[in-house]
């Protein structure tokens, strides 16, 4: 089975069930679900929600294992500014921002696109930013077994912007470091490179 399962493979019964729930929500908030503009809304919302949570059906380890190549390169590899869109598990509202990821190979490198792909696998679930950071970190660490891995995520949370505390400019930064990145010099080099426009 492809590790990149997507919407086309979604179970029609689940889509219809989620659609019925959205229909009820539209009704419960006082809207007219039969109004022209809203007729297809429960179905669209169901498909959007299933798309945004498709990570539960995907396997990040398989994605990484599918493109690991033996290579004697033992310097830092950094992929920065990877867009992240996730849903906070408390309010099911989006949080979004950027992930910066680095690893130091240990006999194997990985296809570059696979790093953003595994970010999406873990982001497309109900998450907290801390767990998202650690899920990505542990997946790379246990699958690629590099000499070191680092993950930094900077994100804004709609549940803190549109409602609740209503702060528009706060950004949450989470990070995780394993192996050689636990050494302060290596970690600082990574942090310096992700803050530069030239890395
Ligand atoms: N640590 C962490 N907290 C998060 C994340 N996303 C949302 N939250 C927080 O989850 C908390 C849930 O707190 P509750 O008091 O149960 O919910 P609430 O009454 O809606 O809280 P307010 O947002 O303060 O109105 C809030 O403080 C949110 O800011 C996340 O990724 N990580
Ligand atoms: Zn929230």
């Amino acid at each position: 089975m492809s590790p990149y399962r997507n919407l086309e493979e979604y179970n029609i019964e689940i889509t219809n069930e989620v659609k019925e729930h959205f229909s009820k929500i539209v009704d419960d908030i006082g809207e007219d679900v039969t109004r022209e503009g809203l007729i297809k809304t429960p179905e669209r919302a169901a498909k959007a929600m299933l798309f945004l949570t498709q990570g539960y059906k995907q396997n990040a380890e398989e994605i990484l294992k599918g493109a690991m190549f033996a290579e004697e390169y033992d310097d830092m590899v950094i992929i920065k500014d990877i867009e992240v869109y996730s849903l906070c598990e408390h309010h099911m509202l989006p949080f979004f921002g950027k992930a910066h990821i680095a690893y130091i190979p240990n006999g194997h490198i990985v296809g570059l696109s696979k790093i953003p792909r595994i970010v999406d696998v873990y982001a497309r679930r109900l998450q907290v930013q801390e767990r998202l950071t650690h899920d990505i970190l542990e997946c790379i660490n246990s699958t690629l077994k590099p000499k070191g891995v680092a993950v930094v995520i900077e994100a804004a949370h709609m549940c803190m912007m549109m409602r609740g505390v209503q702060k528009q400019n706060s950004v949450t930064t989470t990070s995780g470091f394993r192996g050689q990145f636990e050494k302060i010099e290596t970690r600082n080099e990574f942090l310096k490179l992700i803050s530069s426009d030239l890395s």
Side-chain angles (χ1 to χ4, degrees), residues 87-95 157-160 163:
L87 291 175
C88 93
E89 67 182 20
H90 304 115
H91 302 94
M92 296 172 70
L93 285 172
F95 66 92
H157 292 245
M158 293 308 284
C159 66
M160 290 174 64
R163 57 158 299 288

Side-chain angles (χ1 to χ4, degrees), residues 73-91:
Y73 178 89
D74 52 12
D75 287 310
M76 203 180 287
V77 179
I78 302 177
I79 303 109
K80 73 170 201 174
D81 294 336
I82 302 167
E83 300 97 319
V84 174
Y85 295 96
S86 189
L87 291 175
C88 93
E89 67 182 20
H90 304 115
H91 302 94

Side-chain angles (χ1 to χ4, degrees), residues 2 17 39 45 70 72 84 90 102 106 120 127 132 134 147 150 152 156-158 163 180 197-198:
S2 161
E17 262 182 48
I39 286 175
E72 290 308 320
V84 174
H90 304 115
N106 186 17
D120 285 346
Q127 275 287 14
L132 174 60
H134 272 152
K147 289 181 184 153
V152 170
H157 292 245
M158 293 308 284
R163 57 158 299 288
Q180 290 188 5
D197 285 341
L198 294 172

Side-chain angles (χ1 to χ4, degrees), residues 75-182:
D75 287 310
M76 203 180 287
V77 179
I78 302 177
I79 303 109
K80 73 170 201 174
D81 294 336
I82 302 167
E83 300 97 319
V84 174
Y85 295 96
S86 189
L87 291 175
C88 93
E89 67 182 20
H90 304 115
H91 302 94
M92 296 172 70
L93 285 172
F95 66 92
F96 61 96
K98 288 175 175 176
H100 314 292
I101 299 178
Y103 73 98
I104 300 170
N106 186 17
H108 287 87
I109 56 169
V110 68
L112 285 178
S113 67
K114 305 307 175 189
I115 300 288
R117 280 191 187 279
I118 67 160
V119 169
D120 285 346
V121 169
Y122 291 115
R124 288 174 177 162
R125 301 177 184 201
L126 302 185
Q127 275 287 14
V128 293
Q129 191 177 325
E130 293 90 332
R131 191 169 67 241
L132 174 60
T133 306
H134 272 152
D135 284 348
I136 298 165
L137 187 81
E138 294 305 339
C139 175
I140 297 172
N141 202 38
S142 63
T143 309
L144 193 58
K145 298 186 175 37
K147 289 181 184 153
V149 54
V151 177
V152 170
I153 298 181
E154 304 169 293
H157 292 245
M158 293 308 284
C159 66
M160 290 174 64
M161 297 169 78
M162 293 176 72
R163 57 158 299 288
V165 75
Q166 296 178 67
K167 294 296 171 212
Q168 309 309 318
N169 297 308
S170 71
V171 173
T172 304
T173 303
T174 46
S175 61
F177 303 97
R178 292 284 182 274
Q180 290 188 5
F181 287 97
E182 290 171 56

